[in-house]
């Protein structure tokens, strides 16, 4: 004799003493009453009763597994193996990632200092981002100046997933690490260090854009004091 089974719904079948050897089905109350009526059709041939004994099915979603990196690209690979090198802050890591994304949005083949600058503003919660906005330097203005300076990319060009850093952008990141080490202070390398690294590259697009929007050495020194009291600027 074929058995009646439902593989998904939490419904139990039990032999009953009703006439004709019918089977009584027990359906949890959390299921819709229309479903109970449907199960009473001739297809199943059994009366249905609602019960509160069964518990609803719970679907558990597995947590996503993510990997967080605390080092940004460097021109000195030996640094990555040294325990004395301070780590980049989480906001700096996010700003770098947002910079790559901005470069891709503009369809640029590389991530330059202008993209790092936009990344800091996109992240938006860091001391450097707040300092820029307080001085009238916004993401919209930086993006507009970037297009004016570097032009628009080809409409049909697709940037790589991780556009490689330009030489000025790489030097800006290494400058930030060097200055943090020179300060002798504990703690992480922040977005303020990254921004000052961009400013240190005087021939870079990022420096030119910041200068055109009113950023100068006095503002750089003011930001340096906020980032680290013992921080001394050493521009090239």
């Amino acid at each position: 004799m074929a058995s009646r089974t439902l593989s998904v719904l939490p419904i139990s079948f039990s032999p009953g003493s009703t006439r004709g050897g019918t089977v009584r089905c027990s359906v949890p109350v959390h299921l819709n009453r229309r479903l109970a009526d449907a199960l009473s059709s001739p297809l199943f041939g059994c009366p249905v009763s609602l019960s509160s004994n069964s518990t609803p099915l719970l679907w558990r979603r597995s947590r996503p597994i993510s990997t967080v990196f605390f080092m940004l690209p460097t021109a000195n690979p030996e640094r990555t193996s040294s325990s004395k090198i301070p780590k980049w802050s989480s906001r700096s890591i996010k700003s770098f990632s947002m910079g790559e994304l901005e470069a891709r949005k503009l369809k640029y083949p590389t991530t330059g200092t202008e993209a790092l600058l936009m990344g800091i503003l996109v992240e938006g919660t860091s001391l450097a981002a707040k300092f820029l906005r307080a001085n009238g330097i916004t993401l919209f203005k930086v993006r507009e100046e970037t297009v004016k300076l570097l032009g628009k990319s080809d409409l049909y060009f697709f940037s790589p997933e991780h556009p490689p850093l330009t030489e000025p952008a790489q030097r800006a990141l290494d400058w930030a690490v060097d200055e943090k080490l020179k300060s002798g202070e504990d703690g992480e390398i922040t977005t303020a260090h990254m921004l000052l690294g961009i400013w240190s590259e005087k021939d870079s697009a990022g420096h030119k854009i910041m200068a055109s929007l009113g950023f100068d050495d006095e503002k750089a020194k003011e930001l340096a004091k906020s980032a680290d009291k013992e921080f001394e600027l050493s521009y090239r």
Side-chain angles (χ1 to χ4, degrees), residues 42 57 96 121 153 187 207:
L57 292 176
F96 177 82
L121 288 165
S153 183
H207 179 99

Side-chain angles (χ1 to χ4, degrees), residues 8-108:
V8 177
L9 300 176
I11 302 174
S12 60
F13 292 81
S14 59
S17 58
T18 57
R19 291 178 297 176
T22 59
V23 178
R24 182 167 296 277
C25 310
S26 178
V27 182
V29 294
H30 68 276
L31 293 179
N32 194 294
R33 184 173 293 275
R34 290 183 180 179
L35 177 60
D37 295 337
L39 291 175
S40 299
S41 68
L43 176 64
F44 292 94
C46 63
V48 176
S49 63
L50 299 179
S51 68
S52 59
N53 296 329
S54 302
T55 57
L57 292 176
L58 298 178
W59 297 94
R60 299 181 62 185
R61 298 179 62 183
S62 59
R63 293 182 178 180
I65 300 175
S66 59
T67 303
V68 179
F69 297 96
F70 294 97
M71 295 298 294
L72 293 181
T74 176
N76 303 314
E78 63 275 6
R79 281 180 169 177
T80 58
S81 59
S82 176
S83 59
K84 296 181 180 180
I85 301 300
K87 305 298 183 184
W88 287 88
S89 67
S90 59
R91 287 188 174 93
S92 298
I93 300 293
K94 185 176 180 181
S95 296
F96 177 82
S97 299
M98 293 298 101
E100 286 187 327
L101 182 59
E102 287 301 307
R104 293 182 63 192
K105 285 181 179 179
L106 293 174
K107 296 182 178 292
Y108 288 163

Side-chain angles (χ1 to χ4, degrees), residues 17 29 80-81 93 106 132 141 161 184 186 188-189 191 195 225 228 234:
S17 58
V29 294
T80 58
S81 59
I93 300 293
L106 293 174
L132 287 172
K141 291 180 180 179
E161 183 177 359
D186 296 330
E188 299 173 320
I189 309 170
T191 51
L195 181 60
K225 292 177 182 178
D228 193 334
S234 57

Side-chain angles (χ1 to χ4, degrees), residues 72-73 92 95-121 139 142-143 146 149-150 157 159-174 194-195 197-199 201 203-210:
L72 293 181
S92 298
S95 296
F96 177 82
S97 299
M98 293 298 101
E100 286 187 327
L101 182 59
E102 287 301 307
R104 293 182 63 192
K105 285 181 179 179
L106 293 174
K107 296 182 178 292
Y108 288 163
T110 56
T111 301
T113 52
E114 74 289 339
L116 296 180
L117 177 59
M118 286 187 282
I120 292 173
L121 288 165
L139 175 62
V142 171
R143 189 178 287 151
T146 297
L149 183 64
L150 302 179
F157 176 79
S159 301
E161 183 177 359
H162 298 286
L165 287 170
T166 61
E167 290 186 6
Q170 184 61 77
R171 288 196 299 267
L173 296 181
D174 289 334
M194 182 186 293
L195 181 60
I198 296 171
W199 182 248
E201 288 294 318
D203 293 329
S204 69
H207 179 99
K208 293 176 181 178
I209 292 170
M210 292 171 68

